Amino acid sequence: MNSTNVNESNVSRAETGKFDKLAASWWDPEGESRPLHDLNPVRLNYVAERVALRGARVLDVGCGGGILSEALAAAGAQVTGIDLAPRVLDVARLHLHESNLQVDYREIAVETLAQESPGAFDAITCMEMLEHVPDPGSVIAACAMLLKPGGRLFLSTLNRTPLAFGAAILGAEYALNLLPRGTHHYAQFIRPAEMAMALRDAGLELEDLSGLAYNPLSRRAWIVGNTQVNYLACAVKPA
Ligand code: SAH
């Protein structure tokens, strides 16, 4: 874990390249980002239950085309969205013309931003991103630096279980063709205990771990106790 490593040190260009290819259809709720659209109300609600969003300074790390960033802005937050896939960021910026919302999108590594603006944010979201990064611990450490004391970090990722392999890779990528094949690599999925350890190493206190269930057929998503597949975590920076 090295938060002084900046720029290209903690990004897989194979990964951001895959997302750049999806840029054009990012805002199509029936397109390849459909699961993100379907999950969004539940994860927004998870954040809104734990942070007073109106007027809060919120950072969305690995924001993609801005599905969550825009929802946070619509809830009254002052949002910065960062990502390292330039085409995806172009789409995010263009979409603001349709939504009439304001989000400050920047192509910058979270580790670099942490050097630039430590302690700047009331809340940070980092959803469905850690499993695409070479060193997730470095992202978490940078987020910890970026939070104000008392601020909260929200993460979501896939657990490394046979069930998650079945649902996210065999199910979503192969059986249902919901996601492009090769979207996920099983070895990069993160167990909740590993997540908890990285949060503790970064000086954050884990407040909640919740499972995120998703039925791609009904397109319904909801919070569950079971964290075997997709899960959300909330951690606080001690005041
Ligand atoms: N968080 C968004 C998008 C998830 S897709 C949402 O849940 O709606 C994963 C995103 O992480 C992609 O946009 C990809 O470009 C981005 N990403 C991957 N590696 C990254 C890195 N090292 N730094 C910043 N963003 C990264």
Side-chain angles (χ1 to χ4, degrees):
M1 202 176 298
N2 183 353
S3 56
T4 57
N5 273 352
V6 292
N7 297 326
E8 292 297 314
S9 61
N10 190 23
V11 58
S12 156
R13 284 298 169 195
E15 292 293 308
T16 53
K18 281 192 296 202
F19 289 103
D20 263 342
K21 288 209 183 76
L22 303 179
S25 65
W26 204 280
W27 278 94
D28 176 359
E30 308 302 328
E32 282 162 322
S33 297
R34 175 176 141 176
L36 298 178
H37 288 275
D38 294 344
L39 295 176
N40 206 48
V42 179
R43 54 195 197 171
L44 174 69
N45 192 47
Y46 184 85
V47 176
E49 278 174 351
R50 292 167 173 83
V51 173
L53 285 173
R54 189 149 298 280
R57 277 203 73 186
V58 179
L59 174 68
D60 189 17
V61 177
C63 61
I67 295 169
L68 180 62
S69 309
E70 283 204 3
L72 293 163
Q78 194 188 323
V79 182
T80 300
I82 62 171
D83 204 287
L84 291 176
R87 286 180 193 186
V88 170
L89 280 175
D90 286 344
V91 166
R93 290 190 186 103
L94 273 175
H95 198 264
L96 295 175
H97 294 283
E98 277 182 47
S99 61
N100 277 319
L101 291 165
Q102 280 189 355
V103 176
D104 179 22
Y105 287 115
R106 295 182 63 188
E107 188 179 345
I108 184 171
V110 66
E111 291 90 347
T112 311
L113 189 65
Q115 304 293 328
E116 198 184 288
S117 328
F121 295 95
D122 298 295
I124 301 180
T125 54
C126 179
M127 306 275 185
E128 312 304 323
M129 180 268 198
L130 286 178
E131 69 275 19
H132 301 287
V133 170
D135 181 358
S138 167
V139 172
I140 290 174
C143 289
M145 274 182 73
L146 283 157
L147 280 177
K148 294 180 188 172
R152 280 181 170 74
L153 172 62
F154 297 89
L155 302 159
S156 74
T157 194
L158 288 156
N159 195 349
R160 203 168 61 258
T161 61
L163 204 59
F165 180 80
I169 297 181
L170 296 181
E173 296 181 20
Y174 287 84
L176 298 174
N177 278 321
L178 200 60
L179 295 172
R181 293 182 185 177
T183 298
H184 288 116
H185 304 289
Y186 183 64
Q188 288 189 265
F189 291 4
I190 301 168
R191 295 205 175 113
E194 296 161 346
M195 173 82 86
M197 206 186 303
L199 290 167
R200 197 172 342 114
D201 286 350
L204 301 176
E205 288 169 7
L206 182 63
E207 265 190 349
D208 181 74
L209 267 181
S210 292
L212 185 54
Y214 174 49
N215 178 340
L217 304 175
S218 68
R219 306 189 61 170
R220 211 169 68 82
W222 66 103
I223 298 285
V224 288
N226 185 329
T227 55
Q228 290 278 307
V229 181
N230 208 318
Y231 62 95
L232 284 156
C234 170
V236 64
K237 180 166 174 169

